[in-house]
Amino acid sequence: MKISIKKPSDFNFRRTVLSHGWCVLPPFEFDKIRWTLVRVLDAAPRPVTVKISAASSTIKVSTSRSLTRKAAGNILRDVRHMLRLDDNLLPFYQAVLADPKFEWIAHEGAGRLLRSPTVFEDLVKMICTTNCSWALTEKMVQALVNELGREADDGCKSFPTAEAMAEHPEKFFRDRIRAGYRAPYLRELAERVASGALNVESWLQSELPHNELMKELKSVKGVGNYAAENLLKLIGRYDGLALDSWIRTRFARTRNQGRAVSDKKISRFYSRFDSWRGLVLWCDMTRDWLDPENVGKW
DNA sequence: GCGTCCAGGTCTACC
DNA sequence: GGTAGACCTGGACGC
């Protein structure tokens, strides 16, 4: 089944897909030859694999089987959500156009950060990125999908639900997922979400100010400043810089002649962009990711 | 092949 | 409020 979605005029498919590492973290797959994003999405009565690519004025979505009107509507909603098609980046582009160093961001339509269909999936993945190499993150997420995901008709699997994760003891996350000390954190998060004690999807509509929402995010065990600020970016809030070792090294190299730099200095550098500073920083640090020699390197 | 060291972000205990 | 040490894994390195 094929679905077409009209592209927003300022939308850049490639910049969105390669906006960060999510596109290669299961169940996402990135086909760099065909420039296609593939993943399994939940649908009734069973999950479906979708392939997403771009034409000149539309985004093309093909599904591994035909769908009811309602299921197709849900897939459409998920794709719009993942690609941030309904985000209004006009104020962001106006802000960067005022500075010659950053006007390329508006000209290229960068700034839409790929996200998962649910905040829960993004949150679990974010915890799996903390305090470890990217290779280990991939291993943990792959194990979650393999062990607990639901199978689509082509054999590919979806990301597990909180309910599926909550059915397993801490030992499972330690031994089978190789989550190490994160095992109790994942178990507790899944249990809180599955029981309804914590509604992470409501963060998308939250009107809480930055600091208060940060406090709520950090109430989740395993989520500190880095993970919370990164998750906020996926929710659409860019006040936080989400500094980690990679960004510090990258900033030192690209903006400070290779010399180590304090977090305060990085913060000052982007402060003029106010509530967009986190997004400007991320675009600035990843500007060369679309260069042919870098595509598919991670 | 084995042992040791190190990087990575968060939590907790302590000052 | 700030800081030190523990948490766990896998890769790099030396022997």
Side-chain angles (χ1 to χ4, degrees):
Chain A
M1 181 172 183
K2 296 191 187 307
I3 306 169
S4 282
I5 307 172
K6 191 175 180 324
K7 276 200 294 198
S9 59
D10 58 6
F11 177 76
N12 183 327
F13 180 73
R14 295 189 173 197
R15 278 277 172 203
T16 303
V17 171
L18 289 191
S19 53
H20 59 128
W22 256 213
C23 65
V24 291
L25 216 47
F28 279 116
E29 281 175 48
F30 169 56
D31 180 341
K32 67 175 178 177
I33 305 297
R34 295 180 182 81
W35 269 96
T36 301
L37 185 65
V38 183
R39 75 161 283 156
V40 176
L41 289 171
D42 264 321
R46 62 185 186 284
V48 62
T49 299
V50 299
K51 293 182 179 178
I52 308 166
S53 56
S56 57
S57 61
T58 59
I59 292 155
K60 296 181 170 186
V61 182
S62 69
T63 64
S64 53
R65 62 180 161 80
S66 60
L67 300 166
T68 63
R69 180 177 290 205
K70 189 181 173 196
N74 289 342
I75 296 298
L76 203 59
R77 179 203 60 204
D78 286 347
V79 172
R80 298 193 74 88
H81 179 85
M82 292 188 297
L83 298 180
R84 323 288 292 258
L85 296 181
D86 299 311
D87 284 16
N88 176 17
L89 291 188
L90 197 59
F92 169 63
Y93 291 144
Q94 283 169 344
V96 291
L97 279 170
D99 188 325
K101 276 197 297 292
F102 300 107
E103 60 186 9
W104 71 269
I105 295 172
H107 294 148
E108 289 200 22
R112 284 182 165 85
L113 305 181
L114 181 71
R115 61 185 172 189
S116 306
T118 64
V119 176
F120 175 72
E121 180 180 327
D122 281 336
L123 181 52
V124 169
K125 286 177 170 174
M126 206 60 80
I127 291 173
C128 292
T129 67
T130 60
N131 201 23
C132 64
S133 62
W134 182 250
L136 184 56
T137 298
E138 286 183 301
K139 207 168 175 177
M140 285 186 267
V141 174
Q142 182 72 68
L144 281 169
V145 170
N146 285 348
E147 295 278 349
L148 302 175
R150 289 173 66 216
E151 208 166 275
D153 38 306
D154 59 359
C156 297
K157 288 186 171 181
S158 63
F159 192 82
T161 60
E163 290 75 13
M165 286 175 62
E167 284 175 8
H168 294 268
E170 182 185 320
K171 189 173 165 26
F172 170 85
F173 293 95
R174 202 175 286 277
D175 298 345
R176 303 289 288 272
I177 307 301
R178 308 297 294 165
Y181 69 91
R182 302 166 199 80
Y185 304 159
L186 295 178
R187 170 74 182 83
E188 183 183 307
L189 170 63
E191 207 282 322
R192 286 175 71 190
V193 171
S195 70
L198 179 67
N199 182 359
V200 297
E201 306 307 321
S202 72
W203 293 341
L204 286 166
Q205 287 86 38
S206 173
E207 290 184 3
L208 286 175
H210 175 77
N211 287 345
E212 284 181 44
L213 193 51
M214 276 289 285
K215 211 169 157 183
E216 198 167 322
L217 267 63
K218 285 166 74 173
S219 76
V220 176
K221 287 270 183 64
V223 176
N225 278 343
Y226 152 83
E229 289 183 349
N230 258 330
L231 191 72
L232 282 180
K233 287 182 185 176
L234 298 185
I235 285 167
R237 308 259 204 130
Y238 306 102
D239 306 81
L241 298 179
L243 299 177
D244 63 4
S245 55
W246 182 81
I247 289 187
R248 292 184 184 101
T249 306
R250 183 86 176 162
F251 185 90
R253 198 165 74 217
T254 59
R255 294 278 177 211
N256 207 41
Q257 288 86 47
R259 293 193 303 272
V261 58
S262 70
D263 289 359
K264 273 188 181 170
K265 187 170 179 184
I266 300 176
S267 184
R268 270 201 308 275
F269 187 82
Y270 297 103
S271 61
R272 61 189 181 279
F273 295 106
D274 201 29
S275 64
W276 295 106
R277 57 187 176 268
L279 191 53
V280 177
L281 171 142
W282 185 253
C283 291
D284 192 27
M285 297 295 99
T286 59
R287 180 176 185 174
D288 66 0
W289 277 18
L290 277 198
D291 294 353
E293 67 270 24
N294 292 331
V295 173
K297 260 194 175 173
W298 17 263

